[in-house]
Amino acid sequence: MNDPLKALLDAGVLNISKFPENSRYHGVSITTLAQSNQEPIAYLKRRFVPSPERFAVIQEHTVVEGDRVDNLAAQYLGDPELYWRLCDANGVMRPDELTEITGDRVAITLPEGVPGESDG
């Protein structure tokens, strides 16, 4: 049987996702679900959201009316597509949670696992 998907998977070509470096899925492995008498299904392995304690806070932003998480990511991290780093660092699942309440504080952090000045 000539199955191109199986050939790619067996060769290890699809074992790491090809998402861009600014994607939360960059480096997440791809695996397959084998089913009897059916084509295998390729899928991304689960990405576990890191604990906020794994992030070194470098400053905080106080939410004002009209703030959007993508604009905060652009302002503080230099890339609006890195909004997910703000979500991870602040322990939220829905991006809108970060900016829905005026006066809330949003932690601006280094990337996960990068030690801050006090973290040694």
Side-chain angles (χ1 to χ4, degrees):
M1 173 160 82
N2 187 9
D3 184 349
L5 176 60
K6 183 172 180 352
L8 285 172
L9 293 170
D10 289 344
V13 173
L14 294 178
N15 63 350
I16 298 294
S17 66
K18 301 297 183 201
F19 288 92
E21 287 187 25
N22 63 350
S23 170
R24 71 175 66 197
Y25 300 108
H26 177 75
V28 174
S29 297
I30 295 175
T31 191
T32 59
L33 172 65
Q35 305 179 95
S36 61
N37 301 323
Q38 294 182 26
E39 295 290 320
I41 298 172
Y43 64 95
L44 288 172
K45 286 191 170 187
R46 182 174 177 186
R47 175 187 176 269
F48 290 94
V49 178
S51 169
E53 291 79 32
R54 295 196 36 86
F55 296 87
V57 177
I58 54 176
Q59 70 184 94
E60 289 186 332
H61 172 83
T62 302
V63 175
V64 297
E65 189 173 335
D67 273 347
R68 289 190 353 215
V69 68
D70 60 331
N71 289 338
L72 294 180
Q75 177 182 347
Y76 292 106
L77 306 177
D79 183 348
E81 292 185 12
L82 291 176
Y83 71 90
W84 59 270
R85 273 190 33 203
L86 295 175
C87 293
D88 286 358
N90 287 275
V92 302
M93 295 297 290
R94 290 184 311 104
D96 291 343
E97 287 180 64
L98 285 177
T99 57
E100 66 188 0
I101 300 174
T102 301
D104 272 2
R105 295 167 121 3
V106 176
I108 310 300
T109 69
L110 294 171
E112 176 195 2
V114 175
E117 201 171 286
S118 63
D119 297 334

